[in-house]
Amino acid sequence: MTIQEPANVALAGIPAPGLAFVILVAALCLFAYIMNRRIDLLRKAMPDPRFDDIGERIRLALVYGFGQWKQPRYLVGGIIHILLFAGFMILSLRSLTLIGRGFSAEFNLPGLTGSVGMAYEVLKDYAVLMVLVVCIVAIIRRAVFKPARYAHAPGQGHEAEAYVILGMVSALMLTDMIYDGSHLAATGHTDAGLLPAATVASLFMAGSSPAALNALHIGGYWAHILIFFGFLNYLPMSKHFHVITAIPNVFFANVDKGRIKPVRHGVDEWMDLDECGITRFESFTWKHVLDFYSCADCGRCTDNCPANAVGRSLSPRMISIKARDYAYKYYPVFGTAPDPGDIKFVGDVITESEIWACTTCGACENECPILIEYIDKIVDMRRYLVDQGQVPQSLQKPMQAIKKKGNAYGGAKGKRAAWTKELDGIEVKELKAGDATDLLFFVDSCGSFDPRIQELSRSLARILAKSSTDFGILGQDETDSGNEIRRLGEEGLFEQLAQKNIAAFQDRQFKEIVAFDPHAFNAIKNDYPERFPIVHASQVIDRLIKAGRIRLSSDYLAGRVVTYHDPCYLGRHNQIYYEPRQVIQAVPGVRFRDMERSFDRSFCCSGGGVMLWYESEEEKERMGERRVRMAEQIGAQVIVTGCPFCLINLEDAVKTTGNEGKIEVIDLVELVDRSLV
Amino acid sequence: MDIIVCMKWTPDTSEADLTVDKEGKDIRKDDLDFDMNDWDRFAIEEAVQLKEKVGGKVTAVAVAPEDAEGMLRECLARGADEAYQLWDDAFEGSDGYAVAAILAKFIKDRPHDLVLTGTLADDDCGGQIGGMVAAMLDIPGSTLVSKIQISDGKLTCHRELEGGLYESIEMDLPAVLSVATGLNEPRFVSVRAVRKVAALEIPTLELGDLGLEASAVGSDGSRIRIELMELPPEGEGAEIITGKAEEAAAKLAEILKEKGGIGS
């Protein structure tokens, strides 16, 4: 029995190739129009030079795009996605082939003929079956098992779209199976081993009349073509735009980790601009708009957001979704744009409490499978609020103190080195302009003025003295590093602070800067416009231990179970995970355990620097309390951290969770100081 | 509506080690950082918010030496339309009365519907200026104002009283109101906001510009003479209570009862 091929059958009197041509041209024209409208907003948005470092960008696209590297961080969802993605990759060639078969029954893509073509037929048939099964599993998972991270507040999500997409993909697979299965049924060449999908379909058609098989073959074909083009045009209208934009989004991802974007790329005299920050939607950079387009609403960012976890209104994914909704509404593909009237993007669409709730810990960005950025957007929105004078009262005082006195504590400049007075027998050099030293110890405001953190300054000084390291401090000439000032959106003040410290650095000679505060470390390393060699205290200590210049004893830890809390600005923002752990491991016989959330999944303690002053009215518990409970779960008796603000937050949390006397929080420099032999 | 806000430039004593100067009549101020009086921050904010609501012009004014220009510029950044610095060497040593006289003269010579100031200043806590300026201008005034409403040329304000009560007062304009802290949420002033007003001129008016006599200002025009300023003597009998929280609390309660801190 023979079967008629779609290309040879006229429909309603129109020859198939003509029909295929009309559909192809119409669908592509529509797609081009839609994409052009979407890209139009990117063109209106702010510049961002993302064409540098092409090698790294290709690597990102290969690893995170095609390699789906982050997907398995959520195992079930990740595997489902990888299978779907692999299926799509394989079936993209099939789709092109099928489009061609509307023009000619014998059409095959160049290279996909002969035995290669046969092999591809088999591969694609397995892929069709796999994608169909995966879609059904995904539908069941969403509808029945309802993973919490997919949930939305009423009226805020686009849950239904997920089913539309899964339904369309399933329909694409089914129509392909009908098209191939009817052919198999007609010719009788079933082969479950080689063509499982087509064979399964053919079994359902067993005993059908030749006319019915013909109709199925031709109907399945055209249905497939129509659904395919419908799908293509639906993507840029929905939350599944990521199918198109994800790979470009990964390719154009931020390659400057830890650094905040300038107010406007390519503008040094930003103070003279009319606008600062996100005054309107088009103030976002084109890449940030592409991020909004690309969010797949998978919820991983929010699931890892510490602010969200404790009840603050911030949800990173809702920033993307609300922004995309805004973009789709006010920059529509069809029709005229409605007037937003008094609705302000910053303030009404994204509220002030969402914007200030962020600790800039970076957990969201780190988790996003397609490398969507959030911190720069939050900072740009804060820049607008700061420019309008809208800053929470709890943050204003420390920020003004930094502006007037160079530190958030209101301490007098002359007292910056006062902490050194309580060091027995150790003289800390206050370096004057022109002085030289090996290691310049950048103490920062917290180490200079906070009584608890001054202890860390003294600990590091003792360690350096014990190891006969030549070091000195800036004393009065040091000012706040500005890490949080920049992240709170006060760019003008950040520039002043950076310039003061840069001038102080340039006036002295040193081999390296050391800081025990990861925030200061990050600002100097990544944000300052001039580059200086800088290391974190954990790196210096690790080197000293390896060089045999200091030795640790087990006396202080005395067999207690120790865990390490990765500070955000040491770990996620600067990838320093191993040195602090190596230092802890240098204590003889140490009983070390990592918490479940460790390394790049560490859980923020609620923010450092000026963020320490921020009072959230929304949170139900402190982030630090959550973190201490995580340490409690693994039976830790000592939490070592590498950040003075983590220390303060976690020490408080130990008290408020009733763990005083049971769990000790200690900074790495203190642990080393107390364990010195 | 023309609103004039009287600002004070005060030393920040919160984190400083205070010492008395050689003459024993004032604290040493050379090492202290000066800043806008915190109470006045609420006054200037209220003025700008009123202007944003009902329109008009906000003028900031301070009797303060040259160094205080930064504070007045900050007032411009906060939304004031103009700022004046009133200073003359003859003003040195003025007490509250003399400062009020200088301000009253300044205000009298220009349109004013409302004069705002902080109720107190962070440094000497005199709380004199508002009342005295009102008396000198012969217009109504009130202190510790926690809410201001203006409609049809009438002013209604709330005053904070003890025990969470407040009273509501209606008065005619012009009037002088000394505000309480917390009646609004003062805006943040960024470096860029200050830079935007960097080119605005802040005129300095001296004795002659204001048409004042030297005898009316400075120590000659003052009615208070400081005899001696001393740091409080170090107290005795401070006791640090140690032990477990429950025991320490019990001990503290006992001491408070014994010394009359709480009723028995």
Side-chain angles (χ1 to χ4, degrees), chain B residues 86-102:
Chain B
L86 313 182
W87 193 246
D88 193 299
D89 289 343
F91 294 174
E92 192 73 57
S94 296
D95 69 352
Y97 182 81
V99 169
I102 300 166

Side-chain angles (χ1 to χ4, degrees), chain B residues 178-237:
Chain B
S178 305
V179 304
T181 56
L183 89 161
N184 52 45
E185 295 206 335
R187 68 198 64 198
F188 180 78
V189 182
S190 65
V191 168
R192 178 172 131 105
V194 174
R195 221 181 91 151
K196 276 191 202 158
V197 296
L200 294 182
E201 206 192 328
I202 299 177
T204 301
L205 305 184
E206 299 182 351
L207 193 68
D209 304 324
L210 289 162
L212 282 163
E213 297 294 328
S215 59
V217 298
S219 42
D220 289 349
S222 294
R223 301 192 170 187
I224 293 172
R225 219 161 303 284
I226 292 176
E227 291 298 330
L228 186 66
M229 190 175 281
E230 282 182 315
L231 289 170
E234 251 177 61
E236 277 177 28

